[in-house]
Amino acid sequence: MVIYRLLLNSMRNVLLLTTLSAASCSAADTWTDGFSTRSEPGDRHALIFSPYTRHFSPSPEHEHVWLVGLERERENGLVAGAAFFTNSFGQPSLYYYPWGMVYRNLGGNPQLYAKLTAGLLYGYTGKYQNKVPLNTNGFSPGVVPAIGWDLGDGFEIQANMLGLAGLMLQLSLPLK
């Protein structure tokens, strides 16, 4: 049993590192850029919030989900941020994502963009710890793909895929 647990924990760590590596760029300076608080010319900062989340398989246990956070986008498309939210079960939670990338001008449309972020999720504890994969003591890797629309002047609306569980509507307000 002990060997099984050690093997399982090793596999979780390998999967975590693989997930985080896949979401990052190959250059060493871009790998650590999400941990930097220094400001650079061309940076965009935004207040993000979510007023609505739709579960694909609703449950009586599900509660209203809200989210508020801060996000930084570098001129080269690198994204980093942190968001505080209540998860589907009413637990206070955090998503810290130092690795991310936004791909603007999709299909030649300057308003359309795709975004992928990766980081650390905390908050699914107790009887809900198995609701997210690779959860250990409330901590698990997080990867959020999104598609969005730039409304102009830094205001954006985007849809975040929450694994196979649901879709979150997110609004971004520019900070000047």
Side-chain angles (χ1 to χ4, degrees):
M1 187 66 160
V2 172
I3 293 174
Y4 172 76
R5 287 188 181 269
L6 287 172
L7 181 59
L8 183 61
N9 285 337
S10 295
M11 289 173 56
R12 283 182 179 177
N13 291 338
V14 168
L15 284 171
L16 174 62
L17 290 174
T18 302
T19 300
L20 296 177
S21 297
S24 71
C25 299
S26 60
D29 61 332
T30 57
W31 171 255
T32 59
D33 184 69
F35 296 101
S36 172
T37 57
R38 76 185 182 317
S39 192
E40 294 182 1
D43 282 357
R44 294 170 42 162
H45 297 88
L47 172 67
I48 61 173
F49 71 97
S50 172
Y52 181 74
T53 297
R54 174 74 177 171
H55 291 93
F56 297 139
S57 298
S59 162
E61 286 186 293
H62 288 159
E63 296 186 21
H64 177 73
V65 175
W66 60 264
L67 174 142
V68 64
L70 295 172
E71 185 172 89
R72 178 195 67 211
E73 179 184 333
R74 298 275 194 216
E75 194 170 36
N76 64 1
L78 291 175
V79 174
F84 297 95
F85 64 100
T86 57
N87 66 29
S88 302
F89 307 100
Q91 297 176 317
S93 302
L94 169 71
Y95 177 47
Y96 172 65
Y97 51 103
W99 302 287
M101 191 72 187
V102 63
Y103 304 91
R104 296 197 175 273
N105 199 25
L106 288 184
N109 188 327
Q111 286 95 3
L112 187 61
Y113 66 88
K115 188 183 292 181
L116 179 65
T117 63
L120 185 64
L121 180 65
Y122 176 77
Y124 290 81
T125 58
K127 69 179 188 176
Y128 303 113
Q129 66 185 353
N130 294 324
K131 295 295 183 177
V132 292
L134 306 174
N135 190 342
T136 303
N137 298 320
F139 292 93
S140 61
V143 176
V144 179
I147 188 155
W149 189 263
D150 188 335
L151 301 168
D153 295 326
F155 294 91
E156 297 175 339
I157 186 168
Q158 78 183 37
N160 300 331
M161 281 296 299
L162 306 176
L164 300 175
L167 190 67
M168 174 182 274
L169 175 68
Q170 177 182 303
L171 303 171
S172 299
L173 308 173
L175 298 174
K176 305 259 179 189

